[in-house]
Amino acid sequence: WLDVDMMYGIEYEEFPARIAEVAMWLIDHQMNMQISNEFGQYFVRLPLKKSAKIIHGNALQIDWKSLLKTDVIDIIANNTTITLNEPTPEYTTVNIKTANLTIIDERTTSTHESIHIRNSFDYILGNPPFIGSKIMTQFQRDEVTKEFGNIAGSGVLDYVTAWYVKSAKLIQNTQTKCAFVSTNSITQGEQVGILWNVLLNMYGIKIHFAHRTFKWSNEAKGNAAVYCVIIGFANFDTNNKSIFEYEDIKGEAHGIKAKNINPYLVDAKDILISKRRKPICEVPEISFGSMPNDGGNLIVDDIDVEAFKESEQLSSKYLKPFIGAQEFLNAKNKWCLWFYNNYDPKDLQSMPLTDARIKAVEKLRNDSSREATRKLSLFPMLFGEIRQPENDYILIPRVSSEHRKVIPMAMFSSDFIVGDTCLSVLNASYYHLGVLQSSMHMAWVNSVCGRLESRYRYSNEIVYNNFPWPEAITKNQIEAIEYATQQMLDVRNEYKDNTLAQLYEIGKMPPKLVKAHLELDKAVDKAYRPQLFINEEKRIEFLFELYEKYTANLFTTGKIKKKK
């Protein structure tokens, strides 16, 4: 019933295209051998008369439906006679209602009034190129934006997203099912709101099954392992949905039945998390750290700081501890020349080394091709962008390894200058730190956070500002979280000879620290509901429901009637 000539494909390289044709013959032969063993009858298709139709070309430049337009039906018309002399697969029926017409079908001995032709695919599946938005060529970027109709934000989408939208257009009003192996970036971070808004709302796409993130590599020379998902979808819904979860991203998956699979591959409603400038809950605001834009001239390494102070005694007045993500996670000390709010011009007369550094910053900014940077040359002693908190704050590294149970965070005083590789939560308390260090928050991070390769790329506008905090928290619950947070910090201090990167590596966390986080998780869980959550899936399902509740009325508008 199935033969290789019913298979179609598009391959960008010539040699793999030919390999695909041979592979289809081989799999056809293997299936025939299997059915022969099952039924005790020898099935063979030799000599080979048919082959799969594999096109060598760019799949985004080819009309996929054109693959079906083969010379299968040979029509000869003379007044009243049409002769069909080639078999055609039976799919959609085209009825002929012409009077005085005789149909001679050489495939059968009967005469009828229906011609069956193939006009859609049963399945579309593949492994599109894994090319991130930041490394695409301009031609590839133009291909993507064209496929999306130049909608806002399409310029940040990965190359693979074009296959999704092209498929969505093709399968309208059909029973075609699709599935693609893709980089997991299309289910995380900023891309989700752009891609899936189009798929869900413009083309009515529903996800039927999904493999959550797993690590994939092949034996090609120089091939780098990538983190992938597999998403199966169609233009219609189904009650038979499954999510395949990987306990070990290099291991085997186990299936979980789902009521609905949303774009984050979570069993929840089709909710899209978009960028938001303000938090959805009443919590402290979050900000980027300060960006030096100085070519390294305003930064002093720890090994040089004492010599710097000895050479220029007045520099002690301006040297402040500087914290970036690397310094924070790996317990490295750095310093910066900080002239904001305490600059005295006459001091530079006795600080030639510092003055030379400032002049180097001025030249660097003057030589920039960016007008905004050139304007900063008027203030060469200051950081390019200053966002230093005035009070205590929570420091969050913007990029952190995926091999950690949580993204380590900590409280700092305003004397510590936070760099732009970090975020700062302003005027925060131990309650806020505790929630952000909990499994509830990490469940949210794992679902909506973007990735840099496989590392977490924490976003203020996607992750923090959309995070659903406890709804009706009591004073006792806040105190319980603050107490558990302090206990966790105390355990960290017991291992002060270890870096946070070392302490939080999965499988290597000290048992005492693991227990402290479990107690913190209990305190945070109880702030959300009386029952503890049994796993991350239950946590994220609850958080999506809470997010929907919080955001239900954010965009409703209406005129308030004046009282008479």
Side-chain angles (χ1 to χ4, degrees), residues 534-546:
I534 59 174
N535 54 36
E536 182 169 302
E537 286 73 30
K538 296 301 179 184
R539 283 190 170 96
I540 194 60
E541 289 171 16
F542 181 90
L543 288 173
F544 269 104
E545 290 177 3
L546 193 57

Side-chain angles (χ1 to χ4, degrees), residues 47-196:
L48 298 172
K49 295 181 179 179
K50 300 176 182 178
S51 66
K53 184 175 181 180
I54 309 297
I55 302 298
H56 170 216
N58 183 338
L60 295 184
Q61 301 295 320
I62 293 172
D63 177 7
W64 295 357
K65 230 173 182 181
S66 67
L67 273 65
L68 295 172
K69 296 175 182 177
T70 58
D71 297 329
V72 173
I73 300 177
D74 196 3
I75 297 178
I76 303 171
N78 49 23
N79 296 328
T80 58
T81 302
I82 293 178
T83 303
L84 304 180
N85 57 14
E86 267 306 314
T88 57
E90 295 189 359
Y91 283 80
T92 302
T93 299
V94 179
N95 294 312
I96 297 177
K97 298 296 183 180
T98 305
N100 302 320
L101 173 66
T102 301
I103 298 175
I104 302 172
D105 190 344
E106 294 182 355
R107 299 168 296 172
T108 64
T109 56
S110 63
T111 301
H112 51 77
E113 289 189 346
S114 295
I115 302 172
H116 301 287
I117 65 170
R118 183 199 303 267
N119 69 353
S120 66
F121 299 101
D122 294 290
Y123 302 96
I124 299 173
L125 53 114
N127 181 19
F130 297 163
I131 304 176
S133 62
K134 296 187 185 301
I135 60 174
M136 286 191 295
T137 65
Q138 188 58 50
F139 179 77
Q140 291 166 335
R141 193 180 306 281
D142 291 342
E143 286 183 299
V144 174
T145 55
K146 179 181 177 182
E147 206 65 58
F148 278 85
N150 295 305
I151 64 166
S154 58
V156 305
L157 296 173
D158 289 350
Y159 201 37
V160 67
T161 59
W163 273 258
Y164 278 81
V165 75
K166 185 157 186 170
S167 299
K169 295 174 185 176
L170 184 67
I171 65 176
Q172 293 299 294
N173 303 313
T174 72
Q175 293 297 302
T176 305
K177 297 179 181 179
C178 306
F180 292 120
V181 183
S182 315
T183 47
N184 62 359
S185 55
I186 68 167
T187 63
Q188 301 163 342
E190 183 182 6
Q191 295 196 52
V192 179
I194 301 167
L195 166 64
W196 291 97

Side-chain angles (χ1 to χ4, degrees), residues 505-518:
E505 186 174 349
I506 293 174
K508 297 181 181 179
M509 286 180 68
K512 197 170 182 180
L513 184 58
V514 173
K515 291 179 181 177
H517 271 280
L518 289 175

Side-chain angles (χ1 to χ4, degrees), residues 46 87 93 112 131 175 217 224 228 243 251-252 254 270 284 287 293-294 341 436 447 450 458 470 490 513 539:
L46 293 174
T93 299
H112 51 77
I131 304 176
Q175 293 297 302
S217 61
C228 301
I243 297 174
E252 296 298 320
H254 65 272
D270 291 330
S287 170
N293 196 352
D294 65 333
N341 286 340
L436 293 175
S447 291
Y458 196 95
D490 290 343
L513 184 58
R539 283 190 170 96

Side-chain angles (χ1 to χ4, degrees), residues 261-284:
I261 305 174
N262 74 11
Y264 300 93
L265 309 189
V266 172
D267 187 356
K269 291 183 179 180
D270 291 330
I271 293 171
L272 298 175
I273 309 297
S274 56
K275 285 185 175 182
R276 198 181 299 276
R277 289 183 174 271
K278 300 286 184 180
I280 61 172
C281 301
E282 292 185 9
V283 292

